Amino acid sequence: MDKQIPYLLELCREMKDRTHCPYSKFRVGAALLCEDGTIFTGCNVENASYGLTICAERTAIVKAVSEGHKDFKAIAISSDMKNSFIVPCGACRQVLAEFGTNWDVYMTKPDLTYHKMSVGELLPMSFLPSSLGEEKIANGRGHLKNGIEANSMMTEDNGSSAEM
């Protein structure tokens, strides 16, 4: 284990004290460890217009990126759930995956016990920046570049068309 991980775990717990969560009362703290050893912290910040709320994980990521850091080793997150490990929401998982899938997420309980998974394990079959470079249909109207309609395919055994 990286020698900074115990400190990261403690920091994420401390960050819960900085949250702004008057609506849900669900405090979350995060601490993000960059490859160069720099640590950025975050907490959830709620808004009366619920969709504008930002999670602790995304707060830490945005702070790091705004300071020029994009290579991460680990993130630790903490909540007040006594009997369950806190897990990142789907939006946070997607934001974490933007910066790679081979780095660690430490999901904790208030007593600092944790469950560790990689970003890739938390978001299998992720939509990644490389997905944007995948071959696409030619005109966006259901036709592939080779002229076969996107909603059908030819089967190899009998040449008949099958719906996808």
Side-chain angles (χ1 to χ4, degrees):
M1 176 191 300
D2 188 296
K3 64 183 180 189
Q4 290 183 287
I5 298 303
Y7 180 59
L8 203 67
L9 297 171
E10 184 59 42
L11 273 177
C12 77
R13 181 169 66 177
E14 290 175 12
M15 286 308 298
K16 292 185 304 183
D17 292 334
R18 296 189 182 179
T19 62
H20 176 73
C21 55
Y23 311 106
S24 72
K25 310 282 193 268
F26 194 82
R27 302 180 328 144
V28 181
L32 176 67
L33 176 62
C34 300
E35 281 291 341
D36 70 357
T38 305
I39 295 175
F40 290 91
T41 56
C43 63
N44 56 318
V45 180
E46 293 182 350
N47 191 284
S49 176
Y50 296 142
L52 299 180
T53 293
I54 184 167
C55 300
E57 301 93 311
R58 286 184 280 151
T59 300
I61 291 276
V62 168
K63 287 170 66 176
V65 171
S66 70
E67 296 294 326
H69 297 268
K70 295 181 184 176
D71 298 314
F72 308 123
K73 274 188 183 179
I75 190 167
I77 55 176
S78 179
S79 78
D80 294 323
M81 293 190 304
K82 183 177 181 181
N83 298 312
S84 299
F85 296 105
I86 181 70
V87 296
C89 72
C92 286
R93 292 176 194 210
Q94 183 62 50
V95 170
L96 296 175
E98 176 74 13
F99 299 96
T101 57
N102 294 318
W103 54 289
D104 296 324
V105 180
Y106 290 82
M107 298 158 285
T108 71
K109 291 182 184 177
D111 65 2
L112 294 185
T113 56
Y114 63 85
H115 181 71
K116 179 179 89 167
M117 294 178 76
S118 72
V119 172
E121 290 170 323
L122 280 170
L123 190 64
M125 298 180 67
S126 4
F127 184 80
L128 301 171
S130 60
S131 303
L132 297 172
E134 292 286 327
E135 183 178 354
K136 297 168 190 68
I137 58 176
N139 63 12
R141 295 188 185 124
H143 297 283
L144 298 175
K145 287 184 178 180
N146 63 6
I148 299 173
E149 288 188 30
N151 64 350
S152 67
M153 66 177 203
M154 299 298 286
T155 59
E156 291 182 24
D157 56 350
N158 63 10
S160 63
S161 180
E163 292 297 316
M164 292 176 85

